[in-house]
């Protein structure tokens, strides 16, 4: 995949090889099976180039176009005059109303240009902005037929909600007297991404919504100590319904006020950067809340402003609105939204949610993807959605070369993580969404002796060669109400009775602890080029997630992360936490996530043993529920003396310590399982060990 790595992530640059035609079909050099679909590749590539040409001619280029927040919404001029612009072509009259003018619908009228953009200038008073900081504000419009509607400005950067009065949000004019000054530079782009997926509001064992400041003080040191170098923040874009997990966005430029102020979020990100942690935003550009009073829906009285009109603009399963990615002003809004979060808050990149919905006209609804290439081209593909994602990656990787973009796609679309100059969509990583589904399915439907080692290794390695993948054993999806965390599937009710070290280590708890560690280790080492963990799952958080809602009497009981469990050394949760920490820091040292894909030398279905090599390490897993193997012969390519660097059975991880840490494993010059050498190991039941050359341990080498 040298061509992909050497080529630029831009549709404006030629591929690295002069032998490759610069028309979007360069990806065929990486995957010849795409050859029959060259027309589709050329079409989307040409459309992305055409958009950039159009923006060059009409907007001064993509870079200027993506600074839409400098034109639209509220902007304060050097003399403290305030300009406000809003795109609302269906409106026939518009007025800005708020605390500043006594909510007088006739006081502050706006004028409309030929493109449907309304504008007003509010002169400064006594050389100060006429609208007070944090005062309430709205736009009032009259639409055809004479109806008056009032909305929150679409580019607003602060909205608040008072549930004691109404669930409807109120717009705020946010202009603090002192701007937050970032103290720390963005950290370098990590070679290995170890992602801690987190939700600020649930990041406390208390029955409440946690805050940005609490996350900064309590969670950042915890995450840093664990060895994660990337945090993926969920539910930051403002969403009216807390139980939507942040996926029903109503104000795209506003950081959620339920956790604190914008400066509190900036401090969180700045502090993380000071620790060397990269921060990604879980961005939702796949759909929007259907709220009208405090969302984009029916903003100017029409159903087709930011969205497709009619049924095409509605997502049947999500009960939300779908963007019209082919519209000039919609592109301005979405691309500027990316730029805003990068510039204003200093995020380092994005995890794009719901990419499958953006890629296809059927949005993935009722569709099972077989992997046949015909599914990725033709009328089922929403080319406008594909082109928007190409433009988004063009913008981000041009302006912010170290930014990271991750696609959440279940379809397996080829080229999603191939650079743009070769005709790819330009993402850095994609999520390996089949892996957690496999684990949950097995735990629900199979006994341990039915686990298929071939299927396990196939699922973990079944990814498009050269397109980097984020592997995970479970994410927030598996934790939501209706499902359970992995450890809860493994141990069920005994989590309530036998997780104390003062109680009996029952077979159920022993199995649960063992498999929890093994599942995470094999996923981390074999499943991809990055790793993700949802907060709390590193220590086997019990039960599930359920946000306060009418159906549970607005309870916070399951809308929290019980870090008190792992901090109590009398509970066995800390063993899992300590193992996860050791796993992350061992990866930091050996870098297997950015090493070439593993070579699997053994998948023994009878013994339930898997052996592979990656990053110079030798990995041995024994999933057998009852058998241990002494003097088990395994193949290894590199000759030398090996020692244990990670052992799921270590006493400090709640195991039995059946392999001494100082044991030395000597190779024999005799081929085995397709490797040049072999050695013998002791692999107890339900354990895994990782061996490294002795010369690499304790700073040697």
């Amino acid at each position: 995949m040298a061509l992909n790595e050497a080529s630029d992530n831009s549709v404006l640059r030629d591929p690295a090889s002069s032998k490759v035609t610069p028309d979007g079909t360069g990806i065929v050099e990486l995957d010849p099976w795409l050859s029959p679909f060259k027309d589709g590749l050329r079409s989307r590539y040409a459309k992305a180039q055409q958009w950039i040409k159009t923006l060059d001619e009409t907007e001064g280029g993509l870079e200027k176009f993506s600074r839409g927040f400098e034109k639209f919404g509220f902007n304060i001029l050097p003399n403290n005059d305030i300009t406000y612009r809003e795109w609302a072509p269906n409106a026939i009259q518009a007025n800005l109303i708020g605390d500043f003018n006594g909510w007088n619908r006739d006081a502050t009228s706006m004028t409309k240009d030929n493109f449907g953009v309304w504008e007003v200038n509010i002169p400064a008073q006594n050389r100060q902005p006429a609208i007070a900081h944090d005062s309430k504000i709205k736009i009032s419009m009259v639409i055809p037929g004479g109806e008056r509607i009032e909305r929150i400005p679409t580019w607003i950067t602060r909205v608040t909600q008072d549930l004691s009065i109404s669930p409807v949000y109120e717009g705020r004019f946010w202009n603090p007297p002192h701007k937050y000054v970032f103290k720390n530079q963005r950290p370098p782009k990590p070679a290995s991404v170890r992602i801690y997926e987190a939700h600020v509001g649930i990041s406390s064992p208390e029955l409440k919504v946690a805050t940005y400041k609490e996350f900064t003080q309590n969670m950042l040191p915890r995450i840093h100590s664990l060895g994660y170098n990337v945090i993926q923040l969920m539910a930051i874009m403002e969403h009216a319904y807390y139980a939507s997990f942040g996926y029903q966005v109503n104000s795209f430029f506003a950081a959620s006020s339920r956790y604190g102020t914008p400066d509190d979020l900036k401090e969180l990100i700045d502090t993380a950067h000071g620790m060397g942690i990269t921060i990604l935003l879980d961005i939702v550009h796949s759909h929007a809340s259907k709220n009208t009073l405090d969302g984009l829906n029916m903003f100017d009285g029409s159903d087709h402003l930011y969205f497709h009109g009619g049924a095409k603009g509605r997502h049947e399963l999500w009960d939300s609105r779908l963007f019209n990615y082919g519209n000039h002003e919609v592109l301005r809004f979405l691309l500027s939204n990316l730029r805003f979060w990068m510039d204003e808050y200093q995020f380092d990149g994005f995890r794009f949610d719901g990419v499958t919905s953006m890629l296809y006209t059927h949005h993935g609804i009722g569709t099972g993807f077989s992997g046949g290439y015909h599914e990725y081209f033709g009328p089922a593909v929403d080319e406008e959605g594909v082109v928007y994602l190409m433009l988004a990656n063009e913008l981000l990787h041009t302006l912010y070369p170290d930014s990271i973009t991750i696609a959440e796609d279940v379809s397996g679309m080829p080229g999603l993580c191939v650079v743009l100059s070769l005709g790819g969509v330009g993402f850095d990583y994609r999520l390996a969404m089949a892996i957690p589904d496999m684990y949950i399915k097995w735990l629900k439907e199979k006994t341990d002796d039915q686990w298929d080692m071939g299927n396990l290794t196939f699922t973990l390695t079944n990814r498009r060669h050269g397109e980097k993948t984020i592997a995970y054993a479970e994410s927030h999806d598996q934790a939501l109400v209706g499902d359970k965390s992995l450890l809860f599937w493994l141990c069920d009710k005994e989590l309530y009775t036998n997780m104390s070290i003062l109680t009996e280590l029952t077979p159920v708890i022993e199995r649960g602890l063992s498999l929890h560690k093994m599942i995470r280790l094999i996923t981390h080492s074999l499943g991809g080029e990055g790793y993700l963990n949802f907060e709390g799952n590193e220590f086997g958080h019990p039960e599930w997630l359920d946000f306060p809602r009418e159906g549970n009497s607005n309870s916070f009981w399951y809308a929290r992360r019980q870090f008190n469990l792992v901090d109590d050394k009398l509970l066995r949760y800390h063993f899992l936490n300590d193992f996860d920490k050791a796993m992350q820091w061992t990866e930091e040292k050996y870098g297997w996530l950015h090493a070439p894909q593993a070579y699997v030398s053994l998948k023994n279905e009878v013994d339930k043993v898997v052996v592979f090599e990656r990053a110079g390490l030798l990995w041995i897993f024994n999933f057998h529920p009852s058998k241990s193997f002494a003097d088990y012969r395994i193949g290894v390519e590199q000759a030398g003396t090996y020692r244990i660097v990670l052992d799921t059975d270590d006493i400090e991880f709640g195991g039995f310590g059946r392999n001494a840490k100082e044991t030395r494993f000597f190779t024999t010059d005799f081929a085995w399982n397709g490797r040049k050498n072999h050695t013998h190991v002791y692999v107890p039941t339900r354990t895994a060990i990782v061996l490294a050359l002795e010369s690499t341990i304790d700073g040697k080498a």
Side-chain angles (χ1 to χ4, degrees):
M1 302 304 291
L3 178 62
N4 188 38
E5 294 174 0
S7 299
D8 291 313
N9 205 358
S10 169
V11 296
L12 302 179
R13 304 294 294 271
D14 289 346
S17 171
S18 59
K19 298 178 181 179
V20 178
T21 307
D23 64 352
T25 61
I27 188 175
V28 177
E29 297 291 321
L30 311 178
D31 184 356
W33 291 99
L34 286 168
S35 187
F37 307 101
K38 283 185 177 180
D39 287 345
L41 292 167
R42 290 190 188 98
S43 176
R44 70 188 193 188
Y45 189 79
K47 283 184 170 64
Q49 288 183 321
Q50 182 57 50
W51 262 117
I52 293 175
K53 181 181 178 182
T54 299
L55 298 178
D56 285 342
E57 296 170 349
T58 62
E59 299 281 355
L62 179 62
E63 188 277 331
K64 186 176 180 181
F65 182 66
S66 67
R67 287 187 276 126
F69 45 81
E70 295 179 359
K71 175 181 178 181
F72 288 86
F74 294 95
N75 283 283
I76 302 169
L77 304 181
N79 66 354
N80 277 333
D81 285 1
I82 299 170
T83 61
Y84 169 57
R85 295 187 184 91
E86 195 73 70
W87 179 52
N90 189 54
I92 57 177
Q93 179 186 324
N95 298 77
L96 185 63
I97 59 174
D99 293 337
F100 79 101
N101 64 5
W103 299 92
N104 185 339
R105 293 189 175 95
D106 300 315
T108 311
S109 59
M110 304 178 70
T111 58
K112 184 181 183 181
D113 69 11
N114 295 331
F115 299 98
V117 176
W118 294 87
E119 179 178 353
V120 65
N121 183 77
I122 302 114
Q125 295 179 0
N126 300 321
R127 300 183 180 179
Q128 295 299 313
I131 305 176
H133 165 60
D134 206 26
S135 60
K136 297 176 184 178
I137 205 148
K138 273 187 178 181
I139 180 173
S140 179
M141 294 172 282
V142 176
I143 60 176
E147 181 187 355
R148 179 176 290 276
I149 59 176
E150 292 174 353
R151 301 287 190 260
I152 292 179
T154 59
W155 298 71
I156 197 90
T157 59
R158 176 73 167 171
V159 293
T160 59
Q161 182 186 51
D162 186 347
L163 287 172
S164 66
I165 298 174
S166 167
V168 178
Y169 273 80
E170 297 176 308
R172 300 276 186 165
F173 179 74
W174 193 254
N175 181 33
H178 303 289
K179 308 294 184 185
Y180 184 88
V181 178
F182 285 88
K183 305 172 186 64
N184 298 296
Q185 296 292 316
R186 286 186 170 107
K189 187 174 184 176
S192 294
V193 294
R194 301 183 299 275
I195 302 172
Y196 196 88
E197 183 184 37
H199 183 292
V200 171
I202 67 171
S203 298
S204 167
E206 298 179 52
L207 299 173
K208 66 174 189 176
V209 176
T211 66
Y212 295 125
K213 281 193 170 295
E214 288 172 328
F215 193 95
T216 301
Q217 295 163 5
N218 303 327
M219 290 302 299
L220 289 184
R222 184 185 296 274
I223 295 166
H224 181 257
S225 174
L226 281 169
Y228 289 91
N229 57 4
V230 179
I231 297 174
Q232 179 179 297
L233 285 179
M234 309 173 63
I236 296 297
M237 303 166 79
E238 192 58 274
H239 47 292
Y241 187 38
Y242 189 44
S244 75
F245 225 140
Y247 292 122
Q248 294 275 346
V249 175
N250 51 311
S251 291
F252 282 73
F253 289 83
S256 182
S257 60
R258 54 172 57 88
Y259 318 128
T261 69
D263 282 3
D264 293 343
L265 176 57
K266 291 174 184 178
E267 180 187 35
L268 186 163
I269 295 168
D270 194 15
T271 305
H273 284 167
M275 296 176 171
I277 298 174
T278 295
I279 303 287
L280 305 182
L281 175 65
D282 194 348
I283 196 120
V284 186
H285 281 182
S286 48
H287 65 130
S289 165
K290 69 174 185 180
N291 286 16
T292 55
L293 295 179
D294 55 8
L296 297 180
N297 190 24
M298 305 291 291
F299 181 80
D300 66 351
S302 71
D303 76 336
H304 54 272
L305 184 62
Y306 287 95
F307 313 111
H308 290 291
K312 187 177 180 181
R314 294 191 294 271
H315 197 291
E316 297 174 10
L317 291 184
W318 295 343
D319 194 25
S320 55
R321 298 305 312 275
L322 296 168
F323 287 105
N324 178 1
Y325 302 110
N327 182 283
H328 190 99
E329 290 302 327
V330 174
L331 282 185
R332 187 199 307 274
F333 183 82
L334 294 176
L335 292 171
S336 297
N337 190 233
L338 297 173
R339 181 83 180 269
F340 174 80
W341 290 108
M342 294 292 287
D343 289 356
E344 183 69 17
Y345 286 94
Q346 297 288 298
F347 278 97
D348 303 298
F350 303 96
R351 178 260 199 191
F352 282 74
D353 179 69
V355 166
T356 306
S357 179
M358 304 170 76
L359 295 174
Y360 304 97
T361 55
H362 52 63
H363 310 296
I365 300 173
T367 304
F369 293 93
S370 67
Y373 279 26
H374 64 283
E375 297 170 336
Y376 306 123
F377 298 92
V381 174
D382 185 345
E383 194 167 58
E384 291 176 344
V386 175
V387 170
Y388 164 66
L389 292 171
M390 294 173 73
L391 292 174
N393 278 300
E394 176 84 33
L395 173 75
L396 292 168
H397 290 103
T398 300
L399 296 182
Y400 316 96
D402 282 350
S403 63
I404 296 173
T405 58
I406 302 172
E408 187 218 25
D409 169 48
V410 299
S411 75
M413 176 175 273
L416 207 57
C417 300
V418 170
V419 295
L420 292 161
S421 62
L422 297 179
V425 184
F427 283 98
D428 294 292
Y429 297 91
R430 67 197 312 157
L431 293 174
M433 302 183 72
I435 296 174
D437 292 343
M438 173 190 68
Y439 291 134
I440 295 296
K441 182 178 175 64
W442 284 13
L443 291 174
K444 285 181 180 179
E445 301 176 3
K446 295 190 175 196
T447 58
D448 293 359
D449 58 0
Q450 292 175 325
W451 283 29
D452 184 332
M453 298 298 101
N455 191 9
L456 174 64
T457 56
F458 173 78
T459 302
L460 288 167
T461 58
N462 181 29
R463 53 189 185 270
R464 294 190 59 78
H465 184 59
E467 297 194 41
K468 292 188 287 188
T469 297
I470 305 290
Y472 57 103
E474 53 184 333
S475 72
H476 68 270
D477 288 325
Q478 285 71 41
L480 288 173
V481 63
D483 211 329
K484 297 186 290 191
S485 67
L486 275 181
L487 191 66
F488 207 42
W489 277 113
L490 287 163
C491 300
D492 203 50
K493 62 184 179 182
E494 289 200 19
L495 283 185
Y496 299 114
T497 58
N498 288 83
M499 283 301 280
S500 169
I501 61 173
L502 304 178
T503 62
E504 176 191 2
L505 178 63
T506 65
V508 169
I509 295 296
E510 180 188 341
R511 169 182 178 265
L513 297 179
S514 298
L515 288 179
H516 191 273
K517 290 177 285 186
M518 293 182 71
I519 285 171
R520 291 182 127 59
L521 182 61
I522 198 167
T523 303
H524 203 308
S525 54
L526 196 57
E529 290 71 40
Y531 178 77
L532 179 144
N533 168 72
F534 177 64
E535 70 173 311
N537 288 346
E538 68 275 10
F539 65 83
H541 198 287
E543 301 172 327
W544 52 84
L545 269 174
D546 190 12
F547 286 85
R549 55 189 173 85
E550 187 177 347
N552 64 13
S553 302
N554 291 310
S555 170
F556 279 89
W557 187 260
Y558 296 110
R560 61 192 179 121
R561 297 276 92 180
Q562 299 178 59
F563 292 103
N564 54 298
L565 297 177
V566 70
D567 293 339
D568 186 344
K569 300 306 179 185
L570 291 177
L571 297 179
R572 294 186 168 104
Y573 292 102
H574 83 86
F575 293 133
L576 300 179
N577 189 77
D578 294 345
F579 175 76
D580 197 87
K581 179 177 180 177
M583 183 169 63
Q584 309 309 328
W585 285 111
T586 305
E587 197 289 324
E588 172 70 16
K589 177 173 182 176
Y590 289 98
W592 61 75
L593 288 173
H594 63 270
Q597 189 164 319
Y599 182 92
V600 181
S601 62
L602 180 64
K603 299 168 286 188
N604 190 307
E605 299 296 350
V606 176
D607 296 344
K608 303 298 178 189
V609 172
V610 173
V611 179
F612 57 88
E613 294 152 84
R614 189 177 187 187
L617 301 175
L618 179 58
W619 313 72
I620 305 106
F621 291 79
N622 177 11
F623 282 96
H624 202 286
S626 59
K627 288 185 179 179
S628 299
F629 302 102
D631 293 326
Y632 200 84
R633 182 179 291 184
I634 55 171
V636 58
E637 191 71 9
Q638 178 68 47
T641 302
Y642 287 79
R643 279 173 47 196
I644 297 171
V645 291
L646 202 56
D647 181 1
T648 63
D649 193 44
D650 197 308
I651 291 174
E652 65 178 302
F653 306 141
F656 297 102
R658 285 166 286 192
N659 265 305
K661 289 183 180 180
E662 62 275 12
T663 303
R664 305 173 80 204
F665 301 88
F666 304 97
T667 60
T668 300
D669 183 13
F670 181 85
W672 189 256
N673 288 338
R675 312 310 277 160
K676 293 179 180 177
N677 303 279
H678 74 262
T679 188
H680 293 87
V681 296
Y682 171 45
V683 273
T685 172
R686 290 199 184 112
T687 66
I689 55 173
V690 184
L691 307 183
L693 284 168
E694 190 173 48
S695 59
T696 69
I697 299 173
D698 299 327
K700 301 175 185 176

